[in-house]
Amino acid sequence: MTKTLIKGARVVNEGTIDQLDVLIDGMHIAEVSPSIQPTSDIKVIEAHGKHLLPGCIDDQVHFREPGLTHKATIETESKACLAGGITSFLEMPNTSPQTTTAQAYEDKLVVGAKTSWVNYGFMFGGTNDNLHDILAIDPKRTPGLKLFLGSSTGNMLVDNPDTLKEIFSAFRLPISVHCEDEQTIRTNLSKFKAIYGDDIPIMHHLDIRSEEACYLSSSKAVSLAQQTGARLHVFHLSTAIETELFSNELPLEKKKITAEVCIHHLWFSDEDYPTKGTHIKWNPAVKTAADRAGLWEALNDDRIDIIATDHAPHTLEEKNQPYTKAPSGGPMVQHALPVLLECVQQGKISLEKVVEKMCHNPAILFSIEKRGFIRPGYFADLVLVDTQKGQTVSRDQLLYKCGWSPLEGTHLRGTVSQTFVNGVLQYDEGVFGTVKNAQALTFAR
Ligand code: DOR
């Protein structure tokens, strides 16, 4: 069994930053203490000056496999995760076929086992007519359910109120929802189409997929969860007003209604549409600078529990089409953590809070077994970051199959140096491991 000693890093974990040594034995963390003496059978990694974080757990990614593999594959995007310090992901069901049957679910797990570089879990998708399949989900192997209460890539809209009530009443695992009111969006879109045709100026994206559309849908989801006792997790909040629907009065372990925010809603605002165009077209839309400020406030005061990427690659050719044809979504996993390291430098969030929102909280919320913390007995999913080493995001360094990033040209003060997955150094300053050792995530229920 290989032993590795990470020496002298500043360990960011459970609200503190301390200089500690971390001993890895096989797949697990064996010891965490101020000084561990190396023996001849231990490989030592000198990490003075760097910070050691638990590997990030991204609770919302779209890796497009099966069926949309011209945009991305589990193999390509999970490799980008390695370079971005993300050691586990939960992938979404809007693939082709959709992950809405037991067979499609099992098939995805097989692809994950064969091709993923990092640990993987797959959300089961709800539709207007698959309650039977939803209730047959194995809670130990499935993080939970994803419902599109507003349409996006694919065709997974759940818009039957009776079905929704049945799902919320009967399903006890986390229900993660995309909230945008479809009728409001349709009305807004037809107004702008009447003026501009297909080539609607991109800055109207937030008038079409509006604050009202978001609030109407997320407030309905929250009240349905309150009525039914469902465990609701609202994905990608994009407006300040929605943050008022969430509370910080209980610790995450006790909350029944939680929220996520994504990197792009924390980083971009409507001021970026003129330069970035459809490359920052997301659903929900990037909103105003005031909305972004409201999201930061709710994140820091714990009304928002999780930061994710909603990594949703499309090809450049697809993205460069006129407004109504350009799909929403963009890639993010490779630079999500560096963006947050930059935000730490800008004083927007502490490093301890980044770790809470990207590592600890996804593990707590989805009951992921033995990950998300630096603790003896836990899997050695670990990331060394260099907060002194800056980088400018450039196309030639991108690992995404789609080959572009909305962050190109952005300077970020912070770099991922090394990433360990299940005890193995799989990314080392630009050099990747050669043998995959990722595992299917398991859930303690
Ligand atoms: O912009 C988005 N694109 N938002 C989503 O929720 C889905 C995603 C996609 O799958 O392309």
Side-chain angles (χ1 to χ4, degrees), residues 62 64 94 152-153 178 236 282-283 310 312 314 328-329:
H62 303 262
R64 308 301 192 198
N94 58 332
S152 203
T153 300
H178 176 132
H236 44 43
W282 269 282
N283 298 338
D310 190 10
H314 298 283
S328 292

Side-chain angles (χ1 to χ4, degrees), residues 23-41:
L23 180 65
I24 301 170
D25 188 354
M27 288 174 37
H28 295 101
I29 296 167
E31 191 183 341
V32 182
S33 63
S35 179
I36 301 172
Q37 288 316 307
T39 51
S40 59
D41 60 331

Side-chain angles (χ1 to χ4, degrees), residues 274-351:
T275 51
K276 297 280 180 183
T278 51
H279 290 196
I280 60 161
K281 184 185 185 213
W282 269 282
N283 298 338
V286 166
K287 307 283 193 312
T288 66
D291 285 305
R292 181 175 59 188
L295 295 171
W296 274 112
E297 196 185 323
L299 181 67
N300 276 308
D301 74 15
D302 295 337
R303 279 173 292 146
I304 295 177
D305 306 282
I306 283 180
I307 306 174
T309 63
D310 190 10
H311 176 89
H314 298 283
T315 66
L316 258 186
E317 212 180 5
E318 291 165 336
K319 288 294 279 183
N320 287 341
Q321 296 175 95
Y323 176 82
T324 53
K325 297 216 165 59
S328 292
M332 194 54 79
V333 289
Q334 195 176 337
H335 296 103
L337 182 56
V339 163
L340 291 172
L341 296 176
E342 170 65 29
C343 292
V344 170
Q345 299 278 345
Q346 292 178 11
K348 292 199 168 89
I349 187 167
S350 69
L351 197 48

